[in-house]
Amino acid sequence: MARRRVLRVIRGGGSFFREFLGEAAGELVLTLVACFAVGCLALAFVSGWARSPLVTGGVGGALLAFLGYGGWEAFRPARPGRRGRLAGAAATAFAVAALFLLYAWSCNCS
């Protein structure tokens, strides 16, 4: 009887440990992807600025405008009807950028 209890506790602990490892691995992968994305973005900005500051500023401004439009689409009150593809893509890009920004903020890779 005591052996069954011990086995049940071990199995329950194994399930908890497996879930913990899965969450930790997912968090690690997401943090690494976010740090890599921020690093690539910084590298692209520096490389672009060395070639043409005007084009780099224009592309950066367009990207910020697109993400701003996505934020506006994501947080405005819902209206009846279907949202357009551009609005959906912008809202998704805003959500992904916000998530990556949150994870990159906590990254100690600088």
Side-chain angles (χ1 to χ4, degrees):
M1 192 63 137
R3 183 177 177 180
R4 286 185 184 173
R5 288 183 190 160
V6 169
L7 288 175
R8 194 171 21 179
V9 168
I10 289 174
R11 286 185 190 134
S15 172
F16 170 77
F17 189 64
R18 189 174 25 234
E19 182 180 345
F20 174 75
L21 284 179
E23 287 183 13
E27 190 84 19
L28 177 69
V29 167
L30 191 56
T31 302
L32 289 175
V33 167
C35 285
F36 182 72
V38 168
C40 287
L41 188 63
L43 182 65
F45 179 78
V46 169
S47 172
W49 191 266
R51 291 187 180 145
S52 173
L54 184 64
V55 172
T56 303
V59 170
L63 180 63
L64 285 176
F66 183 69
L67 290 176
Y69 174 62
W72 180 71
E73 281 290 330
F75 292 117
R76 75 180 188 152
R79 66 173 193 227
R82 198 175 116 194
R83 183 168 32 184
R85 289 182 185 161
L86 180 64
T92 302
F94 173 77
V96 169
L99 182 69
F100 276 0
L101 184 67
L102 288 174
Y103 274 95
W105 193 275
S106 66
C107 179
N108 293 329
C109 55
S110 55

